[in-house]
């Protein structure tokens, strides 16, 4: 059974490009820990500071594996060093497909 993680990120004003650059390096890093980025979605209409990601994780234990790597791995710390300058808030939700999903 696959699991999905939806992250919603509230960027600081004017930080879209910097955040995009960070994610270009960070998504492959997370893939090494079992997190596959399915979508990174930016606003067309609405809150211009909100970015949404949908990640797919095959094994439940890879959720913790990815989160722990972010907290303990010096490589992750280097990739995420500018995050406080770019982001106000991030919300993480773990989900599974509903029975009626294709």
């Amino acid at each position: 059974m696959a699991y999905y993680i939806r992250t919603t990120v509230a960027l600081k004003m004017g930080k879209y490009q910097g955040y995009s650059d960070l994610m270009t390096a960070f998504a492959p890093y997370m893939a090494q820990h079992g997190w596959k980025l399915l979508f990174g979605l930016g606003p067309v209409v609405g809150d211009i500071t909100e970015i949404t990601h949908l990640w797919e994780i095959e094994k439940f234990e890879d959720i913790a594996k990815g989160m722990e790597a972010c907290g303990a791995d010096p490589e992750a710390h280097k990739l995420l060093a500018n995050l406080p300058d770019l982001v106000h808030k991030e919300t993480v939700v773990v989900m599974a497909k509903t029975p009626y999903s294709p």
Side-chain angles (χ1 to χ4, degrees), residues 20-57:
S20 294
D21 295 343
L22 180 147
M23 286 302 296
T24 298
F26 188 64
Y29 172 83
M30 289 304 285
Q32 297 172 20
H33 299 284
W35 291 46
K36 177 183 175 186
L37 182 61
L38 298 178
F39 297 104
L41 303 169
V44 175
V45 175
D47 185 347
I48 62 170
T49 65
E50 185 175 286
I51 304 294
T52 300
H53 300 103
L54 185 61
W55 303 82
E56 182 177 48
I57 295 89

Side-chain angles (χ1 to χ4, degrees), residues 1 21 36 39 45 60 63-64 69 71 74 97 100:
M1 174 175 161
D21 295 343
K36 177 183 175 186
F39 297 104
V45 175
F60 191 81
I63 297 169
K97 280 189 176 183
Y100 52 85

Side-chain angles (χ1 to χ4, degrees), residues 36-96:
K36 177 183 175 186
L37 182 61
L38 298 178
F39 297 104
L41 303 169
V44 175
V45 175
D47 185 347
I48 62 170
T49 65
E50 185 175 286
I51 304 294
T52 300
H53 300 103
L54 185 61
W55 303 82
E56 182 177 48
I57 295 89
E58 291 297 325
K59 297 183 285 184
F60 191 81
E61 56 270 17
D62 284 343
I63 297 169
K65 182 180 166 186
M67 296 294 244
E68 289 167 2
C70 290
D73 184 356
E75 182 181 356
H77 292 180
K78 183 178 175 183
L79 290 169
L80 298 173
N82 292 336
L83 199 62
D85 297 330
L86 305 172
V87 173
H88 277 296
K89 177 182 169 184
E90 180 177 21
T91 304
V92 178
V93 177
V94 178
M95 303 183 310

